[in-house]
């Protein structure tokens, strides 16, 4: 223990004698450790922290699947859900939910909020109790008793000032009085919405009351969750649900043919889409840390070379090689501890920066913080880092010859350490190779993102405002009332100054899956059960295609009469025309789209261009457009083309809505370009982080090359003096020094090329329109890295040309 304290005191004295070296080493380590800690904080919170439910490992999502849905996570039929409940033996409980939006009025400004209708047992299934009041009971799931509501903690705080007497009072929701029975705890979420990564949290919950009509085999819209019984594995549960699905397929072939069940653990449901990006980021910061370690190891090698005489004297006085090595390792560990402490402070700032930079809802955390797991990670990482960069200098110093070191002096002696020099060159080569990997990854993501941004969505997104409205059924009781409201609103909006045109549709692009169903072509044999083609269904108001800028390819748009009354007409997109009529003209053909209570054939009157509805990186799907009278939606999104900044007309649009109905709020006001940008959030965030780490790696690599070449020039001052005395020109000296650095950079790039092939395969799922071995990216990154290395070499090379031959010949 005494010798340990001696080593620590001596290490502190030695580091204090070289404040410049110490500051650079600690800052370099702090950058590497801080970046790793910040990313690990996110990984810890998102991937490693248990979900805040009772025994969350037993919770699974229960999806339906069919060949038309590649994700295997299709929403669920109520009838199938009820049969699963009755027939399974592997779940303790099953619950269902569906998402909607409602108008909350009577307490300040009207507001549209997200609501989930849930099975009454959902909260007990999750093992979560209300913070105030109660959750739902079985009686709440009975028709006539289901008119109750539970609030989220956030809504209770924001809208009602944390009024603890709110329980028992009524709220006006969609024009109906609904008693409040409870308030959920702070931070509680049921945050599973199919079809979109960035979701909106529900702020209200109401019970589902299943009735006899729920057994009807029509439509799928539920999300299902289940708790497995103890000692039941996911594989066992999947096997039983497959058996039940096969049984239901035979019993109801018209509805369930080719439909199966897919179980997904709740944790996987929450993190499955973000996990690959976080793991790539964690790998990237590990590479940055390795580069930082190589840099500090080079600094320590330089310092140990300068201390060779001191180390030799200590050995001559009786210090063993192990004692010397331990002393140097102690200095390394002291540096890493200081770097870790500073890195932890940088990580606190970095995690806050990550949350600010990440799009809303992407990481699904409100704060990251530093817990004991993160502290343990930082401490362990600091220890490992100290061992990594401290081993080579300690080993090199411990194995040096005492006699040789005592005969050498100054930098001349340092220069004779050829082994030391080779190790430093190896470290620089490794830095360049690792930097090449990060730059390749960053370059591929940037190229991919630029390609994606250049993709046309199929419509004109410029100056296009979107506004969503949902009319309460209690006030607007039938389809006719919905149509009258929206037609009058569009008439008013179209007359506003600055508005070029306005229309409405049922599901906006880039906001989720929307409605889809099967269809049949009149005059053709009915497809076998489960093999009907699938088409997306959109309901539109007059002037929709003109407002959106979607081209009409053939036929016509809807006439004023067809937009005002049911005429059984439909417009399809180019993909649907190509899939169902590859060698025919679809105009005048009739299709039956299974979306109404009574299926009636619709005549195709026009064909429009495809749009990228699900995302810029997706393939257009078959799409059909009905005029509003064909399917009277009470929730529609306005699309408004303005002459200038679309946000400038929001106040005028809101005024017109309130003039028509003082209790009708607007929601999700956004430009179409904002919706497109949000759809690219994960790609943009991944590209930004990896590019930042690649830039840091490039900087560290440049510093490493500069340090090695500057040290090399100092070692070879005597040699350079001789060369200049014998007639060497300045350009010859520059070529000599820069050439050596260029060889190191070239070696690093060559080694990096081998690893880049594996890295590009890891990034394959993030790429769009760019090959794994994109020649332009590889060439550009290699050129950038070599140019940076040459610049880092040029400064020491220029300094070498300033050497006075007479001074250099006396130099030791």
């Amino acid at each position: 223990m005494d010798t340990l304290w001696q080593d620590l005191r001596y290490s502190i004295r030695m580091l204090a004698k070289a404040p410049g070296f110490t500051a650079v080493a600690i800052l370099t380590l702090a950058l590497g450790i801080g970046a790793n800690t910040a990313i690990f904080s996110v990984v810890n919170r998102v991937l490693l922290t248990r979900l805040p439910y009772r025994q969350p490992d037993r919770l699974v999502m229960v999806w339906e699947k069919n060949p038309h849905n590649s994700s295997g996570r299709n929403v669920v039929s109520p009838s199938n859900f009820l049969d699963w409940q009755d027939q399974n033996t592997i779940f303790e409980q099953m619950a269902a939910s569906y998402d909607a939006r409602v108008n909350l009025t009577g307490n300040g400004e009207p507001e549209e909020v997200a609501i989930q209708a849930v099975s009454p047992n959902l909260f007990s299934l999750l093992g979560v109790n209300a913070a105030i009041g109660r959750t739902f009971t079985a009686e709440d799931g009975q028709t006539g008793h289901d008119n109750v509501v539970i609030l989220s903690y956030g809504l209770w705080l924001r809208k009602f000032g944390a009024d603890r007497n709110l329980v028992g009072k009524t709220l006006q929701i969609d024009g109906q009085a609904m008693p409040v029975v409870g308030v959920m705890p702070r931070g509680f979420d049921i945050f599973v919405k199919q079809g979109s990564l960035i979701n909106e949290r529900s702020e209200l919950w109401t019970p589902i009351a299943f009735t006899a009509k729920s057994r009807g085999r029509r439509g799928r819209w539920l999300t299902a969750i289940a708790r497995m019984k103890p000692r039941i594995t996911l594989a066992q549960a999947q096997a039983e649900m497959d058996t039940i699905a096969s049984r239901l397929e035979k019993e109801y072939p018209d509805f369930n043919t080719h439909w199966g069940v897919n179980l997904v653990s709740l944790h996987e449901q929450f993190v499955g889409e973000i996990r690959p990006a976080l793991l790539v980021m964690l790998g990237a910061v590990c590479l940055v840390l390795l580069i930082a370690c190589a840099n500090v190891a080079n600094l320590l090698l330089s310092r140990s070379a300068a201390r060779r005489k001191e180390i030799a004297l200590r050995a001559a006085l009786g210090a063993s090689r192990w004692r010397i090595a331990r002393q140097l390792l102690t200095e390394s560990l002291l540096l890493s501890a200081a770097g870790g402490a500073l890195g932890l402070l940088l990580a606190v700032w970095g995690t806050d920066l990550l949350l600010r930079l990440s799009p809303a809802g992407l990481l699904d955390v409100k704060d990251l913080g530093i817990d004991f797991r993160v502290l343990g990670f930082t401490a362990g990482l600091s220890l490992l880092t100290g061992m990594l960069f401290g081993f080579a200098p300690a080993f090199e110093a411990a194995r040096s010859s005492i006699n040789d070191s005592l005969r050498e002096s100054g930098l001349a002696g340092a220069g004779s350490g050829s082994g030391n020099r080779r190790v430093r060159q190896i470290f620089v080569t490794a830095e360049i190779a690792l930097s090449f990997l990060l730059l390749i990854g960053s370059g591929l993501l940037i190229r991919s993102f630029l390609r994606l941004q250049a993709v046309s969505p199929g419509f004109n997104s410029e100056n296009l405002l979107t506004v969503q409205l949902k009319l309460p059924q209690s006030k607007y009781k039938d389809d006719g009332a919905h149509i009258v409201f929206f037609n009058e609103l569009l008439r008013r909006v179209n007359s506003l100054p600055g508005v070029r045109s306005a229309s409405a549709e049922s599901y906006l692009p880039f906001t989720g899956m929307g409605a889809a169903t099967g269809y049949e072509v009149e005059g053709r044999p009915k497809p076998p059960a489960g093999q009907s083609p699938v088409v997306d269904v959109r309901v539109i108001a007059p002037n929709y295609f003109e407002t959106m800028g979607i081209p009409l390819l053939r036929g016509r748009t809807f006439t004023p009469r067809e937009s005002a009354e049911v005429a059984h007409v439909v417009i399809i997109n180019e993909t649907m025309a190509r899939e169902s009529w590859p060698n025919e003209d679809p105009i005048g053909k009739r299709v039956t789209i299974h979306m109404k209570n009574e299926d009636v054939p619709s005549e195709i009157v026009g064909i429009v261009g495809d749009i990228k509805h699900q995302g810029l990186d997706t393939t257009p799907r078959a799409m059909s457009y009905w005029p509003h009278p064909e399917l009277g939606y009470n929730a529609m999104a306005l699309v408004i083309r303005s002459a200038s900044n679309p946000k400038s007309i929001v106040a005028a649009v809101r005024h017109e809505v309130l003039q028509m109905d003082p209790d009708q709020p607007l929601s999700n006001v956004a430009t179409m370009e904002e919706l497109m940008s949000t759809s690219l959030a994960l790609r943009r965030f991944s590209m930004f982080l990896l590019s930042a780490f690649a830039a840091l790696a490039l900087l560290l690599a440049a510093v490493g090359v500069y340090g090695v070449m500057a040290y090399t020039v100092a070692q070879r001052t005597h040699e350079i003096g001789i060369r200049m005395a014998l007639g060497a020109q300045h350009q010859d000296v520059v070529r000599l020094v820069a050439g050596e650095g260029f060889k190191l950079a070239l070696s690093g790039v060559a080694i990096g090329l081998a690893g880049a092939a594996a890295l590009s395969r890891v990034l394959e799922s993030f790429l769009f329109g760019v090959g794994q071995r994109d020649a332009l990216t590889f060439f550009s990154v290699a050129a950038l890295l070599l140019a940076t290395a040459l610049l880092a070499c040029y400064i020491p090379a220029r300094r070498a040309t300033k050497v006075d031959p007479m001074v250099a010949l006396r130099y030791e």
Side-chain angles (χ1 to χ4, degrees):
M1 182 61 71
D2 290 340
T3 57
L4 177 61
W5 282 113
Q6 289 175 6
D7 287 345
L8 282 173
R9 288 196 298 270
Y10 186 75
S11 297
I12 293 172
R13 288 200 303 271
M14 293 304 296
L15 293 176
K17 285 181 180 179
F21 158 82
T22 303
V24 171
I26 290 175
L27 181 59
T28 301
L29 291 172
L31 288 173
I33 293 173
N36 273 268
T37 302
I39 294 297
F40 180 77
S41 298
V42 179
V43 171
N44 172 54
R45 186 67 175 271
V46 176
L47 301 186
L48 303 181
T49 301
R50 286 167 61 89
L51 296 174
Y53 308 126
R54 177 174 59 87
Q55 296 178 315
D57 295 341
R58 291 166 54 195
L59 296 174
V60 294
M61 297 300 302
V62 189
W63 299 105
E64 292 202 65
K65 62 179 181 179
N66 73 356
H68 298 292
N69 189 334
S70 59
S71 71
R73 300 181 186 183
N74 200 89
V75 283
V76 173
S77 158
S79 54
N80 284 344
F81 169 76
L82 294 173
D83 286 335
W84 295 344
Q85 274 190 315
D86 296 339
Q87 297 180 28
N88 88 85
T89 63
I90 37 81
F91 296 137
E92 281 186 356
Q93 294 187 70
M94 294 188 73
S97 67
Y98 65 86
D99 305 306
R101 298 189 65 82
V102 293
N103 296 340
L104 181 60
T105 56
N107 189 71
E109 288 288 325
E111 183 177 356
E112 186 175 302
V113 297
I115 189 171
Q116 276 186 323
V118 301
S119 300
N121 66 322
L122 178 62
F123 300 102
S124 63
L125 182 152
L126 296 173
V128 179
N129 295 316
I132 302 174
R134 63 172 177 85
T135 57
F136 298 133
T137 64
E139 184 181 5
D140 294 324
Q142 303 298 317
T143 302
H145 297 274
D146 56 340
N147 194 33
V148 293
V149 69
I150 294 175
L151 275 65
S152 71
Y153 190 94
L155 181 65
W156 175 64
L157 190 65
R158 170 175 60 84
K159 191 77 172 176
F160 301 99
D163 180 8
R164 300 186 69 87
N165 297 318
L166 184 65
V167 174
K169 296 180 180 179
T170 59
L171 302 182
Q172 290 296 316
I173 297 175
D174 274 354
Q176 293 182 309
M178 299 183 71
V180 176
V181 297
V183 176
M184 296 308 294
R186 183 194 297 269
F188 172 76
D189 283 311
I190 308 171
F191 198 46
V192 181
K193 296 187 180 180
Q194 189 255 3
S196 178
L197 175 68
I198 302 175
N199 298 306
E200 185 178 21
R201 286 173 166 81
S202 294
E203 298 194 278
L204 295 170
W205 292 274
T206 190
I208 295 177
F210 288 108
T211 65
K213 294 180 65 174
S214 303
R215 295 281 183 180
R217 306 286 159 175
R218 189 175 183 88
R220 289 173 165 88
W221 64 85
L222 293 179
T223 298
I225 186 171
R227 175 176 291 279
M228 296 186 295
K229 291 180 179 179
R231 294 179 294 280
I232 295 293
T233 67
L234 186 63
Q236 290 172 324
Q238 182 67 66
E240 176 164 310
M241 293 305 294
D242 287 341
T243 301
I244 295 174
S246 297
R247 187 185 306 144
L248 294 177
E249 183 175 6
K250 293 176 182 176
E251 192 172 352
Y252 306 102
D254 289 342
F255 186 73
N256 281 328
T257 296
H258 298 311
W259 283 91
V261 178
N262 181 31
L263 300 186
V264 180
S265 73
L266 191 59
H267 186 267
E268 176 66 21
Q269 181 69 41
F270 284 161
V271 307
E273 194 165 357
I274 192 69
R275 180 192 287 116
L278 289 181
L279 294 181
V280 167
M281 294 306 111
L282 188 59
V285 292
C286 286
L287 294 182
V288 171
L289 182 60
L290 287 175
I291 295 171
C293 288
N295 250 345
V296 176
N298 266 333
L299 288 173
L300 287 175
L301 281 169
S302 302
R303 196 159 179 267
S304 66
R307 294 172 62 189
R308 289 181 65 171
K309 195 167 186 179
E310 169 212 333
I311 292 170
L313 285 173
R314 294 185 68 193
L317 293 174
S320 66
R321 292 181 185 272
W322 160 242
R323 186 73 175 77
I324 293 170
R326 193 181 73 182
Q327 173 62 54
L328 294 178
L329 278 175
T330 301
E331 292 181 21
S332 300
L333 291 172
L334 197 59
L335 282 175
S336 67
L342 180 58
L344 192 61
L345 294 177
L346 292 177
V348 172
W349 172 79
T351 51
D352 290 340
L353 181 63
L354 278 176
L355 284 180
R356 286 199 297 270
L357 292 176
S358 65
L362 180 62
L363 297 179
D364 192 22
V365 290
K366 295 181 178 64
D367 60 86
L368 290 171
I370 304 297
D371 60 16
F372 286 108
R373 185 181 290 169
V374 175
L375 287 174
F377 172 83
T378 306
L381 188 63
S382 301
L383 178 63
L384 178 62
T385 300
M387 298 297 291
L388 279 175
F389 72 73
F391 175 77
F395 177 77
E396 180 70 21
R399 74 181 184 89
S400 60
S401 168
I402 297 175
N403 292 331
D404 289 346
S405 297
L406 289 174
R407 285 197 300 268
E408 294 166 351
S409 64
L411 287 170
S416 63
S418 59
N420 182 303
R421 180 179 172 187
R422 281 194 299 273
V423 173
R424 286 168 56 83
Q425 290 176 341
I426 289 172
F427 278 139
V428 168
T429 302
E431 286 184 59
I432 293 173
L434 295 174
S435 299
F436 185 80
L437 290 179
L438 284 175
L439 287 168
I440 283 293
S442 172
L444 288 173
L445 290 186
I446 290 173
R447 287 259 294 152
S448 178
F449 189 77
L450 293 177
R451 286 282 183 89
L452 193 57
Q453 278 192 316
V455 171
S456 170
F459 57 86
N460 181 9
S461 63
E462 185 179 0
N463 291 338
L464 193 61
L465 181 71
T466 68
V467 179
Q468 295 189 8
L469 294 91
K470 178 181 179 294
L471 306 181
Q473 293 282 35
S474 60
K475 183 181 293 188
Y476 303 90
K477 298 184 182 299
D478 55 35
D479 293 349
H482 306 153
I483 295 167
V484 167
F485 179 92
F486 282 111
N487 284 346
E488 173 61 17
L489 177 59
L490 288 174
R491 187 191 66 78
R492 291 171 176 241
V493 172
N494 271 303
S495 66
L496 291 174
V499 173
R500 289 182 174 175
S501 63
S503 187
E505 68 169 312
S506 52
Y507 296 99
L508 286 169
F510 310 113
T511 59
M513 296 295 292
T517 188
Y519 69 94
E520 299 169 13
V521 178
E522 189 176 69
R524 295 182 185 175
K526 184 176 180 179
Q531 295 185 26
S532 294
V534 174
V535 62
D536 288 350
V537 179
R538 300 294 178 266
V539 172
I540 61 173
N543 206 34
Y544 172 73
F545 299 112
E546 294 83 354
T547 301
M548 290 287 288
I550 299 173
L552 177 67
L553 303 181
R554 272 179 284 173
R556 60 176 176 81
T557 57
F558 300 126
T559 65
R561 184 186 70 82
E562 292 166 346
S563 295
E565 59 185 55
V566 176
H568 304 307
V569 291
V570 67
I571 293 173
I572 65 174
N573 71 342
E574 188 176 11
T575 294
M576 184 174 176
R578 184 173 58 252
E579 289 179 353
S580 292
W581 296 273
N583 301 310
E584 302 177 61
D585 183 0
I587 302 298
K589 300 289 195 301
R590 289 157 61 89
V591 292
T592 299
I593 300 173
H594 303 299
M595 196 72 184
K596 303 178 182 179
N597 291 330
E598 295 183 5
D599 292 330
V600 177
S602 297
E603 179 185 349
I604 298 171
V605 297
I607 302 173
V608 296
D610 293 332
I611 67 171
K612 300 272 191 175
H613 201 279
Q614 305 302 323
L616 294 176
D617 57 347
T618 60
T619 302
R621 293 155 52 104
M623 183 82 73
S624 62
Y625 299 92
W626 265 332
H628 202 177
E630 295 283 345
L631 201 62
Y633 273 56
N634 69 321
M636 297 283 279
L638 303 187
V639 286
I640 307 168
R641 177 81 59 190
S642 64
S644 57
N645 179 10
K647 288 294 184 73
S648 64
I649 61 174
V650 172
V653 173
R654 179 176 285 109
H655 174 75
E656 294 299 333
V657 172
L658 294 178
Q659 284 288 101
M660 292 181 63
D661 186 343
D663 291 330
Q664 180 60 52
L666 306 183
S667 68
N668 296 333
V669 178
T671 67
M672 186 60 74
E673 290 180 343
E674 287 173 339
L675 294 180
M676 292 172 61
S677 177
T678 299
S679 73
L680 300 175
L682 178 57
R683 290 180 179 272
R684 184 187 302 106
F685 188 59
S686 301
M687 178 194 68
F688 173 80
L689 283 185
L690 193 58
S691 298
F693 297 144
L696 179 58
L698 182 63
L699 175 64
L700 291 175
V703 170
V705 173
Y706 170 80
V708 165
M709 299 319 300
Y711 188 66
T712 298
V713 168
Q715 287 180 313
R716 301 174 67 180
T717 299
H718 191 74
E719 173 198 340
I720 292 171
I722 293 174
R723 287 177 181 272
M724 296 184 70
L726 293 175
Q729 300 300 308
H730 285 187
Q731 60 267 29
D732 297 323
V733 175
V734 170
R735 191 180 302 114
L736 173 70
V737 176
E740 183 174 336
F742 187 76
K743 289 177 183 177
L744 292 177
L746 204 58
S747 300
V749 168
I751 295 171
L753 275 171
L759 175 66
S760 59
R761 284 194 295 272
V762 172
L763 293 176
E764 183 177 8
S765 62
F766 295 89
L767 302 182
F768 174 84
V770 177
Q772 297 179 27
R773 294 174 176 82
D774 182 63
L776 179 60
T777 301
F778 275 67
F779 176 80
S780 301
V781 167
L784 174 64
L785 200 50
L786 292 174
T788 302
L790 278 176
L791 179 63
C793 294
Y794 180 73
I795 300 173
R798 285 282 297 169
R799 187 179 301 151
T801 64
K802 308 296 184 183
V803 171
D804 186 336
M806 297 306 297
V807 174
L809 290 174
R810 296 194 301 270
Y811 187 78
E812 288 188 335

